[in-house]
Amino acid sequence: MKKNIIISTALAAMLLSFSSCEGFLTQENPNKIAAESYFQTENDAERALNGVYLALRSNNCLGEGSTMFTEERSDNMGRLDNQSSSGEPFQFTDFSLLSSNTYLKNHWVAMFTAVTRSNFLLTYIDEVAFEDEAVRTRYKAEAKFVRALVYFHLVRKWGDVPLVTTYLTTTEEINANTFREKKETVYAQIVQDLKDALNSDLPDIQPESGKGRACKAAVSGLLGQVYLTMATTLSDGNKDSYLQQAKSYLEMCYGMRKFGSLSEIPYEDVFDVSKKSTCPEIIFQIVYKQGDKDYYSSIAANNQAKGETINSQKKSTGAGNYVNTDIVKEYEETDFRKEWSVKYADDAVAKSYFITKFRDVSDAAGTLGYGGNDWILMRYADVVLMLAEVNMYLGDETAAIGYLDEVRARAGMPGYAAMQSNAAYKTLCPTLKLAILHERRVELAFENHRWFDLLRFFTANELVTYIHNKKQDDYGISNIKNFGTKDIYYPIPFDEYKLNPELMYQNPGY
């Protein structure tokens, strides 16, 4: 029995949702359903797919509370408290992360739970009779999209990771799959899943009733981002090919938009709770229910500082999530995105900047803070700026600047050419590449993009230099000098590593 307990906690999730624990009792648990018996009707398949999306919603996975694993790792956010929860949350922003960190392990397990649920549907859905085969194809496409999305996060955070594409039903199968696959192979599977999903009759853009589910724009946009990441982080000699693929799929996504230019969509509309299902810029989001005690969004209330009312009717007693002054200083003087996104809290408890980008002061959310903000995972400004990036890498600066200027125009900012005579801008953005990185930072602030942008724009050594050149006073109490090349990846959670130190080898430096 002990052997069964210490199997990979991530892959063991494949035994927990639908089957009894082998060997724990001699009798079968009547409240559990054997995996092979679960799929009986088309409705069962739909419920399984809903479970796939529900797994994404966890704050330990990719939900609105997952900023600890991305935004707080970057130079956008940090912590003013290095004591709470044994100091484990602080380790992420302080670059002092230990492999024994329980938040790290929970993140690993939550993402593999989403993978597991996708695998479960894909393994058994063909046993169900569908009245319309197109529905089966769509369900499979959606499950593959989610699996690809989660593996994209896993491979960027850990590098080589276990790669599992079938539902595992025995401890022997789990043990056989407890090994790290090379990141190049993981990327190949991500690409294949997304291409399979694209070869379906998913809608280009989901209607209002389908928000929160995959669409072809989301699939092609993610595929473009994957290829762009491969081009800038892999050293396999295929950079030019990857860039061309990235351009093709990002243009495909851009061509599916239901508007002309970004200027047609006010920036604040993207985050307006009342327009979250109708805003044409949002491509893919995790849906939260305003006023619902179980499925509400807490991001507006959680970000609010004491003495403030801009985010929520719920009164705060704390400082909200801490914003590094480094990003505050990067906003250009006339950029209204700063006013929308951050505010200084002058209360004695806070005395710092906090996030105001996500707001719900409605009576429906009320004084309990049961907000309705959806967590946006993909929107068109991101796609437009990736098109600027990929064209810049391909040497087409004219096209790159055109896309960059589309985002700046919506923000009421002068174009790139006009800013070349602005000394402050030239100091901040001496190259087109850094201008695109700057624009991504202020446009997509606090949306969990910044850390991945840094990994994509710089080599490991370049990033160390970039971070070390920051002013410590602008980075809170986290020590930026702790950052080194080892911090490009997270450590493998210790409980996973100790299962097989040879096959679950630790990342360098941990």
Side-chain angles (χ1 to χ4, degrees):
M1 181 58 193
K2 185 175 181 181
K3 179 180 179 182
N4 289 354
I5 292 175
I6 64 171
I7 58 176
S8 167
T9 51
L11 301 184
M14 302 180 182
L15 294 176
L16 299 180
S17 298
F18 302 98
S19 61
S20 60
C21 181
E22 180 179 311
F24 186 69
L25 292 174
T26 55
Q27 299 143 313
E28 186 173 337
N29 183 345
N31 296 317
K32 297 288 185 177
I33 302 174
E36 61 272 14
S37 304
Y38 180 82
F39 279 100
Q40 300 293 326
T41 67
E42 193 170 324
N43 184 59
D44 294 332
E46 183 178 20
R47 289 169 59 197
L49 180 60
N50 289 339
V52 173
Y53 285 114
L54 189 62
L56 279 185
R57 197 175 175 277
S58 165
N59 288 338
N60 284 322
C61 191
L62 303 183
E64 64 178 20
S66 62
T67 53
M68 179 190 302
F69 311 114
T70 47
E71 206 73 0
E72 291 185 34
R73 190 73 166 169
S74 77
D75 47 3
N76 281 356
M77 291 175 61
R79 297 253 168 179
L80 292 179
D81 177 7
N82 59 6
Q83 300 298 319
S84 297
S85 302
S86 300
E88 287 193 320
F90 182 71
Q91 291 177 14
F92 286 88
T93 188
D94 190 52
F95 303 113
S96 55
L97 192 59
L98 301 177
S99 64
S100 58
N101 187 293
T102 56
Y103 290 84
L104 180 75
K105 178 180 176 180
N106 290 340
H107 187 39
W108 171 280
V109 172
M111 288 199 290
F112 273 106
T113 297
V115 170
T116 296
R117 292 186 181 184
S118 300
N119 288 343
F120 177 73
L121 182 143
L122 292 166
T123 299
Y124 294 107
I125 192 171
D126 286 336
E127 298 180 7
V128 178
F130 278 75
E131 291 185 9
D132 183 354
E133 280 299 314
V135 175
R136 186 201 311 272
T137 302
R138 284 198 298 273
Y139 286 1
K140 293 168 82 170
E142 290 180 68
K144 287 189 174 184
F145 168 79
V146 171
R147 184 169 70 183
L149 172 65
V150 174
Y151 261 119
F152 188 38
H153 276 258
L154 283 163
V155 75
R156 288 180 294 173
K157 290 171 181 172
W158 279 281
D160 304 345
V161 291
L163 179 61
V164 185
T165 57
T166 59
Y167 184 74
L168 308 180
T169 59
T170 69
T171 55
E172 289 74 21
E173 289 177 338
I174 290 175
N175 287 329
N177 282 274
T178 305
F179 67 94
R180 298 179 67 183
E181 185 61 84
K182 293 298 181 183
K183 60 179 178 289
E184 291 82 3
T185 304
V186 178
Y187 272 113
Q189 181 62 52
I190 293 169
V191 168
Q192 187 59 59
D193 275 350
L194 292 174
K195 287 183 175 180
D196 288 348
L198 204 54
N199 188 28
S200 70
D201 64 348
L202 285 173
D204 287 356
I205 297 289
Q206 285 285 1
E208 185 174 348
S209 60
K211 295 302 180 182
R213 301 184 68 158
C215 60
K216 282 190 175 180
V219 176
S220 56
L222 181 59
L223 189 50
Q225 186 181 21
V226 169
Y227 271 121
L228 179 56
T229 303
M230 292 168 68
T232 52
T233 62
L234 297 184
S235 301
D236 59 1
N238 295 313
K239 181 176 181 178
D240 289 343
S241 174
Y242 293 153
L243 287 173
Q244 291 293 345
Q245 295 273 35
K247 180 182 178 182
S248 176
Y249 286 110
L250 289 170
E251 287 178 340
M252 180 185 298
C253 175
Y254 188 60
M256 294 177 185
R257 70 194 187 283
K258 302 298 183 181
F259 58 91
S261 68
L262 287 174
S263 294
E264 298 173 18
I265 307 166
Y267 187 72
E268 55 269 30
D269 279 12
V270 180
F271 310 101
D272 188 331
V273 173
S274 67
K275 299 176 181 178
K276 66 178 190 175
S277 297
T278 58
C279 179
E281 185 180 339
I282 301 175
I283 301 172
F284 183 62
Q285 67 231 71
I286 297 176
V287 175
Y288 291 80
K289 294 184 178 180
Q290 188 180 62
D292 189 290
K293 67 182 183 66
D294 296 315
Y295 297 107
Y296 69 91
S297 164
S298 61
I299 193 170
N302 284 353
N303 277 317
Q304 187 158 268
K306 184 180 178 181
E308 300 290 338
T309 58
I310 190 171
N311 286 356
S312 171
Q313 292 185 30
K314 183 179 180 180
K315 292 183 179 180
S316 174
T317 59
N321 287 329
Y322 177 69
V323 174
N324 289 337
T325 51
D326 183 75
I327 182 177
V328 177
K329 291 180 178 180
E330 184 153 332
Y331 285 99
E332 296 165 63
E333 286 185 6
T334 59
D335 193 341
F336 77 87
R337 289 172 295 188
K338 175 183 177 181
E339 182 179 351
W340 181 263
S341 301
V342 297
K343 184 182 180 184
Y344 186 79
D346 202 33
D347 187 275
V349 171
K351 290 291 183 182
S352 63
Y353 283 92
F354 68 101
I355 300 169
T356 59
K357 197 171 194 174
F358 314 106
R359 313 174 186 184
D360 189 348
V361 294
S362 67
D363 289 337
T367 58
L368 294 176
Y370 288 175
N373 306 84
D374 283 357
W375 182 239
I376 301 170
L377 292 177
M378 187 183 304
R379 60 185 179 94
Y380 271 108
D382 179 19
V383 173
V384 170
L385 288 172
M386 284 193 287
L387 279 166
E389 184 181 347
V390 72
N391 276 284
M392 179 268 296
Y393 285 130
L394 288 170
D396 190 345
E397 290 197 354
T398 300
I401 293 170
Y403 286 118
L404 173 64
D405 283 351
E406 181 178 347
V407 176
R408 290 184 62 81
R410 195 258 295 271
M413 303 300 292
Y416 179 75
M419 293 302 293
Q420 297 310 294
S421 59
N422 183 297
Y425 185 84
K426 283 295 292 181
T427 299
L428 178 66
C429 307
T431 65
L432 177 58
K433 180 177 181 177
L434 291 178
I436 295 170
L437 181 63
H438 157 72
E439 206 63 37
R440 288 189 62 83
R441 188 180 196 187
V442 296
E443 172 70 28
L444 304 168
F446 318 120
E447 297 178 47
N448 286 2
H449 293 283
R450 177 63 173 177
W451 176 243
F452 296 129
D453 288 348
L454 293 174
L455 295 178
R456 200 171 63 244
F457 273 73
F458 300 111
T459 66
N461 289 326
E462 288 171 345
L463 185 53
V464 171
T465 300
Y466 180 80
I467 295 295
H468 285 185
N469 282 339
K470 302 281 185 178
K471 292 182 179 179
Q472 179 62 58
D473 290 345
D474 293 337
Y475 207 76
I477 64 173
S478 303
N479 187 354
I480 60 176
K481 296 302 182 183
N482 285 343
F483 182 72
T485 55
K486 73 176 180 61
D487 297 298
I488 299 300
Y489 289 127
Y490 286 153
I492 298 297
F494 181 70
D495 286 349
E496 306 294 313
Y497 160 76
K498 71 180 181 181
L499 296 175
N500 191 324
E502 181 180 357
L503 297 180
M504 290 294 294
Y505 47 89
Q506 188 55 273
N507 280 328
Y510 294 103

